[in-house]
Amino acid sequence: MNEYDSNRILDLAKKINYTSTKNIKEADCYILNTCHIREKATDKVYHEVGRVKKEFRNKKKPIVLIVGCVAQAEGEVLLTKEKYINAVVGPQSYHEINNIILNSENKIKKINATEFEVIKKFDQLNVVKNTNSKISAFLTVQEGCDKFCKFCVVPYTRGPEYSRPSSEIILEAKQLVENGSREIILLGQNVNAYNYRNQRLSDLLHSLSKIKDLDRIRYTTSHPKDFTEDLMQAHVDCKKLMPLLHLPVQSGSTKILKDMNRNHTIDEYLEIIEKLKKRKPSMKFSSDFIIAYPDETIDDFEKTLSLVKQVKFINSYSFIFSARPGTPAANLKKIDEKIAKERLAIFQKAANEIKEKYRKDLVHSTANVLFENNTRGLDKYFGRDEYFNSVIVHSKEDLTGKVRQVKIDKCNQNTLFGKVIIDNKPTEFAA
Ligand code: SF4
Protein backbone atom coordinates (compact mmCIF):
# COMPACT_ATOMS: atom_id res chain seq x y z
CA MET A 1 0.00 0.00 0.00
CA ASN A 2 2.90 2.35 0.64
CA GLU A 3 4.00 1.87 -2.95
CA TYR A 4 0.51 2.86 -4.12
CA ASP A 5 0.49 5.84 -1.72
CA SER A 6 3.97 6.97 -2.85
CA ASN A 7 2.87 6.96 -6.50
CA ARG A 8 -0.26 8.93 -5.65
CA ILE A 9 1.76 11.46 -3.63
CA LEU A 10 3.90 11.95 -6.73
CA ASP A 11 0.78 12.35 -8.91
CA LEU A 12 -0.40 15.07 -6.53
CA ALA A 13 2.97 16.83 -6.26
CA LYS A 14 3.26 17.08 -10.04
CA LYS A 15 0.41 19.62 -9.83
CA ILE A 16 2.83 22.04 -8.13
CA ASN A 17 5.64 21.22 -10.55
CA TYR A 18 7.55 18.72 -8.47
CA THR A 19 8.80 15.52 -10.04
CA SER A 20 10.77 12.50 -8.83
CA THR A 21 14.54 12.18 -8.96
CA LYS A 22 16.81 9.21 -8.45
CA ASN A 23 19.60 11.56 -7.40
CA ILE A 24 19.10 12.53 -3.75
CA LYS A 25 21.73 15.29 -4.08
CA GLU A 26 19.50 17.34 -6.36
CA ALA A 27 16.27 16.96 -4.35
CA ASP A 28 14.45 20.09 -3.15
CA CYS A 29 12.00 18.03 -1.16
CA TYR A 30 12.59 14.69 0.49
CA ILE A 31 9.47 12.61 1.30
CA LEU A 32 10.01 9.51 3.39
CA ASN A 33 6.96 7.22 3.26
CA THR A 34 7.12 4.97 6.29
CA CYS A 35 5.72 1.65 7.50
CA HIS A 36 5.23 0.85 11.17
CA ILE A 37 4.56 -2.87 10.87
CA ARG A 38 8.11 -3.99 11.58
CA GLU A 39 10.28 -3.39 14.62
CA LYS A 40 12.53 -0.32 14.92
CA ALA A 41 10.61 1.63 12.27
CA THR A 42 11.05 4.90 14.18
CA ASP A 43 14.82 4.38 14.56
CA LYS A 44 15.02 3.88 10.80
CA VAL A 45 13.32 7.24 10.25
CA TYR A 46 15.88 9.07 12.41
CA HIS A 47 18.68 7.19 10.67
CA GLU A 48 17.36 8.11 7.24
CA VAL A 49 16.89 11.78 8.16
CA GLY A 50 20.47 11.72 9.50
CA ARG A 51 21.62 10.49 6.09
CA VAL A 52 19.84 13.38 4.33
CA LYS A 53 21.29 15.87 6.83
CA LYS A 54 24.79 14.61 6.09
CA GLU A 55 24.21 14.76 2.34
CA PHE A 56 23.06 18.41 2.56
CA ARG A 57 25.53 19.54 5.25
CA ASN A 58 26.97 22.46 3.25
CA LYS A 59 24.06 22.94 0.91
CA LYS A 60 20.57 24.41 0.96
CA LYS A 61 18.43 22.26 3.24
CA PRO A 62 15.69 20.33 1.38
CA ILE A 63 12.13 20.19 2.69
CA VAL A 64 11.87 16.97 4.71
CA LEU A 65 8.45 15.34 5.14
CA ILE A 66 7.78 12.13 7.04
CA VAL A 67 4.67 10.44 5.65
CA GLY A 68 2.82 7.21 6.50
CA CYS A 69 2.26 5.11 9.59
CA VAL A 70 5.36 6.12 11.59
CA ALA A 71 4.31 9.76 11.09
CA GLN A 72 0.84 8.83 12.33
CA ALA A 73 2.10 6.90 15.35
CA GLU A 74 4.88 9.27 16.43
CA GLY A 75 3.51 12.63 15.21
CA GLU A 76 4.68 15.47 17.42
CA VAL A 77 7.51 13.40 18.92
CA LEU A 78 9.27 13.27 15.53
CA LEU A 79 8.91 17.03 15.05
CA THR A 80 10.22 17.75 18.53
CA LYS A 81 13.12 15.31 18.49
CA GLU A 82 14.34 15.98 14.95
CA LYS A 83 14.23 19.67 14.02
CA TYR A 84 15.33 18.90 10.45
CA ILE A 85 11.82 17.51 9.73
CA ASN A 86 9.37 20.08 8.31
CA ALA A 87 6.17 18.08 8.66
CA VAL A 88 4.66 14.74 9.61
CA VAL A 89 1.80 13.51 7.44
CA GLY A 90 -0.36 10.50 8.37
CA PRO A 91 -1.53 7.99 5.74
CA GLN A 92 -5.03 9.49 5.72
CA SER A 93 -3.83 13.08 5.32
CA TYR A 94 -1.46 12.95 2.36
CA HIS A 95 -3.99 14.66 0.07
CA GLU A 96 -2.74 17.82 1.87
CA ILE A 97 0.78 17.24 0.59
CA ASN A 98 0.89 20.19 -1.83
CA ASN A 99 -0.22 22.72 0.79
CA ILE A 100 2.31 21.24 3.17
CA ILE A 101 5.13 21.48 0.61
CA LEU A 102 4.21 25.09 -0.29
CA ASN A 103 3.97 25.96 3.38
CA SER A 104 7.38 24.43 4.00
CA GLU A 105 8.89 26.28 1.00
CA ASN A 106 7.81 29.47 2.71
CA LYS A 107 9.07 28.20 6.08
CA ILE A 108 5.73 29.17 7.65
CA LYS A 109 5.62 26.58 10.42
CA LYS A 110 6.08 22.91 11.19
CA ILE A 111 3.00 20.87 10.38
CA ASN A 112 1.50 17.86 12.10
CA ALA A 113 -1.11 16.46 9.65
CA THR A 114 -2.32 13.25 11.26
CA GLU A 115 -6.11 13.46 11.04
CA PHE A 116 -8.09 10.44 9.78
CA GLU A 117 -9.52 12.18 6.70
CA VAL A 118 -9.87 9.16 4.46
CA ILE A 119 -13.00 10.37 2.59
CA LYS A 120 -11.43 13.76 1.87
CA LYS A 121 -8.24 12.01 0.81
CA PHE A 122 -9.91 9.89 -1.86
CA ASP A 123 -12.08 12.83 -3.01
CA GLN A 124 -8.86 14.69 -3.67
CA LEU A 125 -7.10 11.72 -5.28
CA ASN A 126 -10.04 11.06 -7.61
CA VAL A 127 -9.46 14.34 -9.42
CA VAL A 128 -5.81 13.50 -10.07
CA LYS A 129 -5.19 10.86 -12.71
CA ASN A 130 -3.29 7.78 -11.58
CA THR A 131 -0.23 7.93 -13.85
CA ASN A 132 1.24 4.58 -12.84
CA SER A 133 2.03 2.63 -16.00
CA LYS A 134 3.54 -0.52 -14.56
CA ILE A 135 2.34 -3.77 -16.14
CA SER A 136 1.30 -4.90 -12.65
CA ALA A 137 -0.22 -1.99 -10.72
CA PHE A 138 -1.62 -1.60 -7.22
CA LEU A 139 -5.03 -0.06 -6.60
CA THR A 140 -6.25 0.69 -3.07
CA VAL A 141 -9.93 -0.21 -2.65
CA GLN A 142 -10.21 -0.38 1.12
CA GLU A 143 -8.27 1.02 4.03
CA GLY A 144 -8.12 0.64 7.78
CA CYS A 145 -9.20 -2.08 10.13
CA ASP A 146 -11.80 -2.63 12.85
CA LYS A 147 -10.47 -6.04 13.93
CA PHE A 148 -7.95 -4.97 16.58
CA CYS A 149 -5.76 -8.04 16.64
CA LYS A 150 -3.79 -7.58 19.82
CA PHE A 151 -0.35 -7.45 18.16
CA CYS A 152 -1.18 -5.04 15.32
CA VAL A 153 -0.77 -1.26 14.93
CA VAL A 154 -2.88 -0.89 11.79
CA PRO A 155 -6.18 0.11 13.49
CA TYR A 156 -4.27 2.89 15.25
CA THR A 157 -2.29 4.12 12.24
CA ARG A 158 -4.67 3.62 9.29
CA GLY A 159 -7.90 4.15 11.25
CA PRO A 160 -11.30 2.43 10.89
CA GLU A 161 -12.37 0.36 7.88
CA TYR A 162 -13.33 2.43 4.86
CA SER A 163 -14.34 1.22 1.39
CA ARG A 164 -13.98 3.43 -1.67
CA PRO A 165 -17.00 3.81 -3.98
CA SER A 166 -16.88 1.09 -6.66
CA SER A 167 -17.41 3.60 -9.50
CA GLU A 168 -14.21 5.44 -8.49
CA ILE A 169 -12.27 2.20 -8.33
CA ILE A 170 -13.45 1.11 -11.78
CA LEU A 171 -12.57 4.51 -13.23
CA GLU A 172 -9.08 4.33 -11.73
CA ALA A 173 -8.65 0.74 -12.98
CA LYS A 174 -9.56 1.89 -16.49
CA GLN A 175 -6.96 4.68 -16.22
CA LEU A 176 -4.33 2.14 -15.23
CA VAL A 177 -5.21 -0.12 -18.18
CA GLU A 178 -5.11 2.89 -20.54
CA ASN A 179 -1.63 3.64 -19.15
CA GLY A 180 -0.56 0.09 -20.07
CA SER A 181 -1.20 -1.96 -16.92
CA ARG A 182 -2.34 -5.51 -17.58
CA GLU A 183 -2.62 -6.73 -13.99
CA ILE A 184 -4.25 -4.94 -11.07
CA ILE A 185 -3.65 -5.91 -7.47
CA LEU A 186 -6.49 -4.65 -5.29
CA LEU A 187 -5.24 -3.50 -1.92
CA GLY A 188 -6.75 -3.17 1.51
CA GLN A 189 -5.68 -3.93 5.06
CA ASN A 190 -8.88 -6.02 5.11
CA VAL A 191 -9.58 -6.12 1.41
CA ASN A 192 -12.32 -8.75 1.67
CA ALA A 193 -14.17 -6.60 4.20
CA TYR A 194 -14.79 -4.30 1.22
CA ASN A 195 -18.38 -3.09 1.38
CA TYR A 196 -19.60 0.01 -0.36
CA ARG A 197 -23.39 0.34 -0.19
CA ASN A 198 -23.73 -3.47 -0.14
CA GLN A 199 -21.34 -3.86 -3.06
CA ARG A 200 -18.93 -6.56 -1.88
CA LEU A 201 -15.44 -7.46 -3.07
CA SER A 202 -16.98 -10.19 -5.26
CA ASP A 203 -19.13 -7.54 -7.05
CA LEU A 204 -16.05 -5.44 -7.62
CA LEU A 205 -14.16 -8.42 -9.05
CA HIS A 206 -17.00 -9.15 -11.48
CA SER A 207 -17.11 -5.49 -12.62
CA LEU A 208 -13.33 -5.24 -13.04
CA SER A 209 -13.28 -8.50 -15.01
CA LYS A 210 -15.22 -6.75 -17.75
CA ILE A 211 -12.43 -4.22 -18.43
CA LYS A 212 -11.03 -4.95 -21.87
CA ASP A 213 -7.25 -5.44 -21.98
CA LEU A 214 -7.05 -6.13 -18.25
CA ASP A 215 -5.64 -9.65 -18.11
CA ARG A 216 -5.25 -10.37 -14.42
CA ILE A 217 -6.68 -9.40 -11.05
CA ARG A 218 -5.36 -10.20 -7.59
CA TYR A 219 -6.27 -8.90 -4.15
CA THR A 220 -4.52 -8.68 -0.82
CA THR A 221 -4.76 -8.92 2.21
CA SER A 222 -7.76 -10.93 3.37
CA HIS A 223 -9.06 -11.83 6.80
CA PRO A 224 -10.59 -15.30 7.31
CA LYS A 225 -13.51 -13.77 9.20
CA ASP A 226 -14.67 -11.90 6.07
CA PHE A 227 -14.25 -14.78 3.64
CA THR A 228 -17.80 -15.12 2.33
CA GLU A 229 -19.36 -17.68 -0.04
CA ASP A 230 -19.82 -15.08 -2.80
CA LEU A 231 -16.08 -14.38 -2.75
CA MET A 232 -15.33 -18.09 -3.01
CA GLN A 233 -17.65 -18.31 -6.01
CA ALA A 234 -15.93 -15.29 -7.60
CA HIS A 235 -12.77 -17.42 -7.72
CA VAL A 236 -14.67 -19.84 -9.94
CA ASP A 237 -16.56 -17.33 -12.07
CA CYS A 238 -13.99 -14.56 -12.63
CA LYS A 239 -11.51 -16.04 -15.04
CA LYS A 240 -9.17 -13.07 -14.68
CA LEU A 241 -8.87 -13.61 -10.92
CA MET A 242 -5.62 -15.47 -10.25
CA PRO A 243 -5.78 -18.79 -8.36
CA LEU A 244 -3.46 -17.80 -5.48
CA LEU A 245 -4.96 -16.63 -2.19
CA HIS A 246 -2.88 -14.98 0.51
CA LEU A 247 -4.84 -15.68 3.68
CA PRO A 248 -2.96 -14.82 6.88
CA VAL A 249 -3.52 -17.28 9.72
CA GLN A 250 -0.75 -16.23 12.18
CA SER A 251 -0.96 -19.42 14.28
CA GLY A 252 -2.14 -23.02 13.94
CA SER A 253 -3.53 -23.02 17.47
CA THR A 254 -7.11 -21.91 18.14
CA LYS A 255 -6.09 -21.01 21.69
CA ILE A 256 -3.43 -18.58 20.41
CA LEU A 257 -5.82 -17.19 17.78
CA LYS A 258 -8.22 -16.41 20.62
CA ASP A 259 -5.42 -14.73 22.59
CA MET A 260 -4.58 -12.68 19.49
CA ASN A 261 -8.24 -11.67 19.07
CA ARG A 262 -8.30 -13.10 15.55
CA ASN A 263 -11.98 -14.05 15.90
CA HIS A 264 -11.87 -17.40 14.12
CA THR A 265 -10.79 -20.95 14.87
CA ILE A 266 -8.41 -23.18 12.95
CA ASP A 267 -11.33 -25.37 11.86
CA GLU A 268 -13.01 -22.33 10.35
CA TYR A 269 -9.79 -21.41 8.57
CA LEU A 270 -9.39 -24.91 7.15
CA GLU A 271 -13.02 -24.93 6.05
CA ILE A 272 -12.35 -21.89 3.82
CA ILE A 273 -9.31 -23.60 2.28
CA GLU A 274 -11.21 -26.85 1.68
CA LYS A 275 -14.25 -25.13 0.20
CA LEU A 276 -12.08 -23.12 -2.19
CA LYS A 277 -10.10 -26.18 -3.26
CA LYS A 278 -13.31 -28.10 -3.86
CA ARG A 279 -14.75 -25.35 -6.03
CA LYS A 280 -11.48 -24.63 -7.79
CA PRO A 281 -8.89 -27.42 -7.50
CA SER A 282 -6.10 -25.27 -8.97
CA MET A 283 -6.20 -22.89 -5.97
CA LYS A 284 -3.01 -22.47 -3.97
CA PHE A 285 -2.39 -20.58 -0.74
CA SER A 286 0.16 -18.46 1.06
CA SER A 287 0.06 -17.15 4.59
CA ASP A 288 1.65 -15.11 7.40
CA PHE A 289 2.78 -16.56 10.72
CA ILE A 290 3.77 -15.09 14.07
CA ILE A 291 6.03 -17.52 15.89
CA ALA A 292 6.40 -17.49 19.70
CA TYR A 293 3.42 -15.25 20.45
CA PRO A 294 3.22 -14.75 24.25
CA ASP A 295 2.03 -17.95 25.98
CA GLU A 296 2.63 -20.11 22.88
CA THR A 297 3.36 -23.59 24.27
CA ILE A 298 5.24 -26.31 22.42
CA ASP A 299 1.85 -27.89 21.73
CA ASP A 300 0.57 -24.63 20.15
CA PHE A 301 3.73 -24.39 18.07
CA GLU A 302 3.37 -27.96 16.84
CA LYS A 303 -0.16 -27.17 15.74
CA THR A 304 1.26 -24.34 13.60
CA LEU A 305 3.79 -26.75 12.11
CA SER A 306 1.16 -29.33 11.32
CA LEU A 307 -1.08 -26.67 9.70
CA VAL A 308 1.75 -25.71 7.34
CA LYS A 309 2.25 -29.33 6.39
CA GLN A 310 -1.47 -29.90 5.93
CA VAL A 311 -2.22 -26.87 3.73
CA LYS A 312 1.15 -26.91 1.91
CA PHE A 313 1.36 -23.13 1.59
CA ILE A 314 3.48 -22.23 -1.41
CA ASN A 315 4.79 -19.20 0.47
CA SER A 316 4.90 -18.75 4.26
CA TYR A 317 6.02 -15.43 5.70
CA SER A 318 7.11 -15.93 9.29
CA PHE A 319 8.44 -13.66 12.03
CA ILE A 320 9.09 -13.99 15.74
CA PHE A 321 6.55 -11.98 17.73
CA SER A 322 7.82 -8.49 18.42
CA ALA A 323 5.92 -5.93 20.44
CA ARG A 324 4.50 -2.82 18.81
CA PRO A 325 4.27 0.11 21.23
CA GLY A 326 0.66 0.98 22.03
CA THR A 327 -0.84 -2.42 21.18
CA PRO A 328 -2.34 -4.67 23.91
CA ALA A 329 0.18 -7.45 23.18
CA ALA A 330 3.06 -5.06 23.90
CA ASN A 331 2.47 -5.56 27.62
CA LEU A 332 2.53 -9.38 27.51
CA LYS A 333 5.47 -11.44 28.72
CA LYS A 334 7.62 -12.49 25.78
CA ILE A 335 8.77 -16.05 25.21
CA ASP A 336 12.46 -16.68 25.88
CA GLU A 337 14.44 -15.43 22.85
CA LYS A 338 16.44 -18.64 22.44
CA ILE A 339 13.27 -20.76 22.34
CA ALA A 340 11.61 -18.30 19.95
CA LYS A 341 14.59 -18.46 17.58
CA GLU A 342 14.65 -22.25 17.70
CA ARG A 343 10.95 -22.42 16.86
CA LEU A 344 11.34 -19.98 13.99
CA ALA A 345 14.20 -22.04 12.54
CA ILE A 346 12.15 -25.27 12.78
CA PHE A 347 9.15 -23.55 11.22
CA GLN A 348 11.10 -22.01 8.37
CA LYS A 349 12.84 -25.29 7.59
CA ALA A 350 9.48 -27.05 7.30
CA ALA A 351 7.94 -24.22 5.26
CA ASN A 352 10.96 -24.07 2.93
CA GLU A 353 10.89 -27.81 2.30
CA ILE A 354 7.28 -27.52 1.17
CA LYS A 355 8.12 -24.53 -1.02
CA GLU A 356 11.15 -26.25 -2.54
CA LYS A 357 9.19 -29.38 -3.39
CA TYR A 358 6.44 -27.27 -4.95
CA ARG A 359 8.96 -25.40 -7.07
CA LYS A 360 10.86 -28.50 -8.16
CA ASP A 361 7.57 -30.05 -9.26
CA LEU A 362 7.06 -27.04 -11.54
CA VAL A 363 10.14 -27.94 -13.60
CA HIS A 364 8.99 -29.44 -16.97
CA SER A 365 5.49 -28.01 -16.47
CA THR A 366 3.92 -25.19 -18.47
CA ALA A 367 3.05 -21.82 -16.92
CA ASN A 368 1.07 -18.83 -18.17
CA VAL A 369 3.32 -15.85 -17.60
CA LEU A 370 2.50 -12.15 -17.77
CA PHE A 371 5.76 -10.39 -18.65
CA GLU A 372 6.49 -7.15 -16.84
CA ASN A 373 9.84 -5.93 -18.15
CA ASN A 374 13.10 -6.92 -19.71
CA THR A 375 16.00 -7.31 -17.38
CA ARG A 376 19.66 -6.55 -17.99
CA GLY A 377 20.13 -6.86 -21.72
CA LEU A 378 17.78 -6.87 -24.64
CA ASP A 379 16.41 -10.38 -24.72
CA LYS A 380 15.89 -11.36 -21.06
CA TYR A 381 12.34 -10.90 -19.78
CA PHE A 382 10.87 -11.02 -16.29
CA GLY A 383 7.29 -11.98 -15.57
CA ARG A 384 5.04 -13.80 -13.14
CA ASP A 385 3.00 -16.92 -13.49
CA GLU A 386 -0.56 -17.23 -12.19
CA TYR A 387 0.77 -18.08 -8.71
CA PHE A 388 2.96 -14.96 -8.58
CA ASN A 389 6.16 -16.95 -9.07
CA SER A 390 8.93 -14.95 -10.76
CA VAL A 391 9.81 -16.34 -14.20
CA ILE A 392 12.70 -15.36 -16.47
CA VAL A 393 13.00 -16.28 -20.16
CA HIS A 394 15.08 -15.23 -23.13
CA SER A 395 13.17 -13.90 -26.10
CA LYS A 396 13.84 -11.95 -29.30
CA GLU A 397 10.23 -10.75 -29.23
CA ASP A 398 9.38 -7.83 -26.91
CA LEU A 399 7.25 -9.64 -24.34
CA THR A 400 6.47 -6.66 -22.10
CA GLY A 401 2.78 -6.68 -21.20
CA LYS A 402 2.11 -9.99 -22.93
CA VAL A 403 0.90 -13.30 -21.53
CA ARG A 404 2.79 -16.27 -22.94
CA GLN A 405 2.95 -19.97 -22.21
CA VAL A 406 6.35 -20.91 -20.84
CA LYS A 407 7.93 -24.33 -20.47
CA ILE A 408 9.76 -24.25 -17.12
CA ASP A 409 13.12 -25.97 -17.30
CA LYS A 410 14.85 -25.02 -14.06
CA CYS A 411 14.36 -23.15 -10.81
CA ASN A 412 16.24 -21.69 -7.89
CA GLN A 413 14.89 -20.52 -4.55
CA ASN A 414 13.31 -17.37 -5.94
CA THR A 415 12.96 -17.70 -9.69
CA LEU A 416 11.74 -20.11 -12.35
CA PHE A 417 13.56 -20.18 -15.71
CA GLY A 418 12.03 -21.38 -18.93
CA LYS A 419 11.36 -20.99 -22.64
CA VAL A 420 8.42 -19.36 -24.38
CA ILE A 421 6.34 -21.89 -26.28
CA ILE A 422 5.79 -20.93 -29.91
CA ASP A 423 3.92 -23.29 -32.26
CA ASN A 424 3.80 -25.86 -29.46
CA LYS A 425 7.60 -25.83 -29.15
CA PRO A 426 9.78 -24.11 -26.52
CA THR A 427 11.94 -21.44 -28.23
CA GLU A 428 15.68 -21.88 -28.04
CA PHE A 429 17.77 -18.82 -27.23
CA ALA A 430 21.27 -18.81 -25.87
CA ALA A 431 21.24 -18.05 -22.12
S1 SF4 B 1 -6.97 -7.86 10.78
FE1 SF4 B 1 -4.93 -7.45 9.96
S2 SF4 B 1 -4.77 -5.20 9.86
FE2 SF4 B 1 -6.51 -5.68 11.21
S3 SF4 B 1 -5.68 -5.67 13.28
FE3 SF4 B 1 -5.60 -7.80 12.55
S4 SF4 B 1 -3.54 -8.04 11.62
FE4 SF4 B 1 -3.95 -5.82 11.86
Side-chain angles (χ1 to χ4, degrees):
M1 193 171 279
N2 271 15
E3 185 178 327
Y4 175 85
D5 289 346
S6 297
N7 285 329
R8 300 302 275 145
I9 287 170
L10 183 59
D11 287 337
L12 287 165
K14 280 178 183 162
K15 295 272 165 208
I16 53 164
N17 299 323
Y18 276 77
T19 187
S20 62
T21 174
K22 286 194 165 74
N23 182 4
I24 180 177
K25 290 181 186 158
E26 66 183 28
D28 299 307
C29 175
Y30 185 87
I31 303 178
L32 184 63
N33 195 3
T34 60
C35 173
H36 205 240
I37 212 91
R38 300 266 175 266
E39 216 173 2
K40 301 196 177 117
T42 313
D43 294 348
K44 283 183 193 161
V45 171
Y46 290 122
H47 178 81
E48 196 64 23
V49 174
R51 206 167 70 89
V52 180
K53 251 171 150 174
K54 206 167 149 196
E55 192 65 60
F56 288 86
R57 188 171 289 149
N58 298 316
K59 299 179 208 152
K60 185 177 169 249
K61 175 192 174 305
I63 296 165
V64 175
L65 309 181
I66 308 301
V67 181
C69 290
V70 176
Q72 186 70 39
E74 301 291 326
E76 210 57 43
V77 179
L78 284 172
L79 289 176
T80 312
K81 272 177 90 172
E82 180 47 270
K83 305 283 182 224
Y84 207 73
I85 299 171
N86 293 80
V88 288
V89 188
Q92 307 305 15
S93 303
Y94 71 74
H95 55 289
E96 296 287 354
I97 206 89
N98 289 352
N99 286 339
I100 294 167
I101 293 173
L102 294 173
N103 185 305
S104 304
E105 275 179 356
N106 297 322
K107 299 186 180 66
I108 295 176
K109 64 174 172 30
K110 302 229 168 199
I111 296 175
N112 180 348
T114 46
E115 300 297 314
F116 287 128
E117 295 185 320
V118 65
I119 297 177
K120 269 198 202 165
K121 178 178 87 172
F122 282 111
D123 280 352
Q124 195 78 27
L125 287 178
N126 287 333
V127 295
V128 179
K129 194 171 182 268
N130 188 329
T131 59
N132 188 356
S133 59
K134 279 189 170 177
I135 298 301
S136 176
F138 292 126
L139 202 176
T140 293
V141 304
Q142 181 277 341
E143 276 202 50
C145 181
D146 300 336
K147 307 282 191 299
F148 289 92
C149 299
K150 289 196 178 162
F151 53 83
C152 182
V153 288
V154 166
Y156 311 98
T157 55
R158 289 264 169 184
E161 284 176 8
Y162 166 79
S163 299
R164 292 179 68 189
S166 47
S167 56
E168 287 174 9
I169 295 166
I170 290 160
L171 195 71
E172 194 172 330
K174 284 181 178 165
Q175 283 175 2
L176 289 169
V177 173
E178 270 169 30
N179 296 349
S181 298
R182 291 291 167 266
E183 173 177 275
I184 290 181
I185 305 178
L186 306 178
L187 299 178
Q189 271 86 36
N190 268 263
V191 71
N192 60 334
Y194 178 85
N195 191 333
Y196 180 76
R197 297 190 179 161
N198 291 329
Q199 291 271 301
R200 304 293 320 264
L201 181 62
S202 58
D203 299 309
L204 202 51
L205 292 167
H206 282 287
S207 303
L208 292 168
S209 290
K210 291 186 192 131
I211 298 178
K212 194 174 161 280
D213 293 334
L214 176 62
D215 293 320
R216 291 181 168 186
I217 307 170
R218 304 179 192 270
Y219 62 88
T220 196
T221 296
S222 299
H223 191 290
K225 194 73 192 149
D226 294 313
F227 220 96
T228 47
E229 294 283 333
D230 56 309
L231 184 52
M232 290 188 201
Q233 193 53 35
H235 275 274
V236 181
D237 298 335
C238 299
K239 303 300 172 213
K240 294 181 179 179
L241 182 58
M242 293 295 100
L244 172 69
L245 174 65
H246 183 69
L247 191 60
V249 64
Q250 312 298 0
S251 170
S253 157
T254 295
K255 184 199 96 190
I256 295 293
L257 293 181
K258 191 157 184 282
D259 289 353
M260 290 174 167
N261 194 33
R262 290 288 290 171
N263 268 306
H264 66 87
T265 65
I266 281 301
D267 286 346
E268 285 162 345
Y269 183 87
L270 286 171
E271 196 183 327
I272 298 167
I273 303 270
E274 288 315 314
K275 278 186 175 173
L276 274 164
K277 279 197 330 205
K278 202 166 164 196
R279 288 183 199 204
K280 186 162 177 150
S282 60
M283 286 292 299
K284 303 230 175 278
F285 304 90
S286 61
S287 196
D288 298 335
F289 296 85
I290 296 175
I291 305 297
Y293 189 76
D295 280 340
E296 181 192 79
T297 62
I298 187 70
D299 183 49
D300 296 319
F301 173 64
E302 276 169 5
K303 284 181 175 149
T304 304
L305 265 186
S306 82
L307 179 76
V308 163
K309 289 173 189 166
Q310 183 178 348
V311 179
K312 297 193 173 64
F313 296 101
I314 65 169
N315 274 308
S316 297
Y317 305 94
S318 55
F319 301 91
I320 291 175
F321 167 77
S322 66
R324 294 288 163 275
T327 59
N331 303 322
L332 301 175
K333 188 171 178 288
K334 277 193 183 181
I335 287 189
D336 176 79
E337 198 184 332
K338 186 167 169 277
I339 296 175
K341 281 186 177 163
E342 276 168 14
R343 286 184 190 170
L344 183 71
I346 295 168
F347 178 88
Q348 291 187 335
K349 185 169 178 284
N352 281 339
E353 278 170 12
I354 292 162
K355 182 175 169 177
E356 259 174 46
K357 168 144 188 4
Y358 159 71
R359 295 174 76 82
K360 277 188 186 149
D361 288 348
L362 290 177
V363 175
H364 305 308
S365 71
T366 303
N368 289 317
V369 178
L370 169 61
F371 287 96
E372 295 182 18
N373 51 47
N374 67 350
T375 68
R376 287 178 288 136
L378 292 173
D379 63 354
K380 205 170 174 187
Y381 286 85
F382 167 87
R384 291 192 188 270
D385 71 4
E386 292 171 334
Y387 299 96
F388 215 59
N389 294 308
S390 307
V391 180
I392 289 181
V393 301
H394 286 262
S395 170
K396 295 284 181 218
E397 180 197 358
D398 182 357
L399 296 175
T400 312
K402 292 175 183 157
V403 177
R404 290 284 183 271
Q405 275 205 318
V406 172
K407 183 85 190 287
I408 304 299
D409 47 28
K410 62 180 178 185
C411 71
N412 65 22
Q413 224 190 344
N414 300 314
T415 310
L416 305 171
F417 301 88
K419 296 184 181 76
V420 175
I421 297 176
I422 298 174
D423 298 332
N424 291 326
K425 285 191 208 125
T427 50
E428 293 292 342
F429 287 109

Coordinates of all heavy atoms in Angstrom, one line a residue, residues 145 147-149 151-152 154-155 190 223 262, ligand 1:
C145 N -8.8 -0.8 9.6 CA -9.2 -2.1 10.1 C -10.0 -1.9 11.4 O -9.6 -1.0 12.3 CB -7.9 -2.9 10.3 SG -8.3 -4.5 11.0
K147 N -10.6 -4.7 13.3 CA -10.5 -6.0 13.9 C -9.7 -6.0 15.3 O -9.9 -6.8 16.1 CB -9.8 -7.0 13.0 CG -10.4 -7.1 11.6 CD -11.7 -8.0 11.6 CE -12.2 -8.4 10.3 NZ -12.6 -7.2 9.4
F148 N -8.8 -5.1 15.4 CA -8.0 -5.0 16.6 C -7.3 -6.3 17.1 O -7.5 -6.7 18.2 CB -8.8 -4.3 17.7 CG -9.1 -2.9 17.4 CD1 -10.3 -2.5 16.8 CD2 -8.2 -1.9 17.8 CE1 -10.5 -1.2 16.5 CE2 -8.4 -0.6 17.6 CZ -9.6 -0.2 16.9
C149 N -6.6 -6.9 16.2 CA -5.8 -8.0 16.6 C -4.8 -7.5 17.6 O -4.3 -6.3 17.5 CB -5.0 -8.6 15.5 SG -6.1 -9.3 14.2
F151 N -1.8 -7.7 18.5 CA -0.4 -7.5 18.2 C -0.2 -6.3 17.1 O 0.9 -5.9 16.8 CB 0.3 -8.7 17.6 CG -0.4 -9.3 16.4 CD1 -0.3 -8.8 15.1 CD2 -1.3 -10.3 16.6 CE1 -1.0 -9.3 14.1 CE2 -2.0 -10.9 15.6 CZ -1.9 -10.4 14.3
C152 N -1.3 -5.8 16.6 CA -1.2 -5.0 15.3 C -1.4 -3.5 15.5 O -2.3 -3.1 16.2 CB -2.2 -5.6 14.3 SG -2.1 -4.8 12.7
V154 N -2.1 -1.5 12.9 CA -2.9 -0.9 11.8 C -4.1 -0.1 12.2 O -4.4 1.0 11.7 CB -3.2 -2.0 10.7 CG1 -4.3 -1.5 9.8 CG2 -1.9 -2.3 10.0
P155 N -5.0 -0.7 13.1 CA -6.2 0.1 13.5 C -5.9 1.5 14.1 O -6.7 2.4 14.0 CB -6.9 -0.8 14.5 CG -6.4 -2.2 14.3 CD -4.9 -2.0 13.8
N190 N -7.9 -4.9 5.0 CA -8.9 -6.0 5.1 C -9.7 -6.0 3.8 O -10.8 -5.7 3.8 CB -9.8 -5.7 6.3 CG -9.4 -6.4 7.5 OD1 -9.9 -7.5 7.9 ND2 -8.5 -5.7 8.2
H223 N -8.9 -11.3 5.4 CA -9.1 -11.8 6.8 C -10.0 -13.0 6.7 O -11.1 -12.9 6.1 CB -9.6 -10.8 7.7 CG -9.6 -11.1 9.2 ND1 -10.4 -12.1 9.7 CD2 -8.8 -10.7 10.2 CE1 -10.1 -12.2 11.0 NE2 -9.1 -11.4 11.3
R262 N -8.1 -12.9 17.0 CA -8.3 -13.1 15.6 C -9.8 -13.4 15.2 O -10.1 -13.4 14.0 CB -7.4 -14.2 15.0 CG -5.9 -13.8 15.0 CD -5.5 -12.8 14.0 NE -5.6 -13.3 12.6 CZ -5.5 -12.6 11.5 NH1 -5.4 -11.3 11.6 NH2 -5.6 -13.2 10.3
Ligands
SF4_1 S1 -7.0 -7.9 10.8 FE1 -4.9 -7.4 10.0 S2 -4.8 -5.2 9.9 FE2 -6.5 -5.7 11.2 S3 -5.7 -5.7 13.3 FE3 -5.6 -7.8 12.5 S4 -3.5 -8.0 11.6 FE4 -3.9 -5.8 11.9

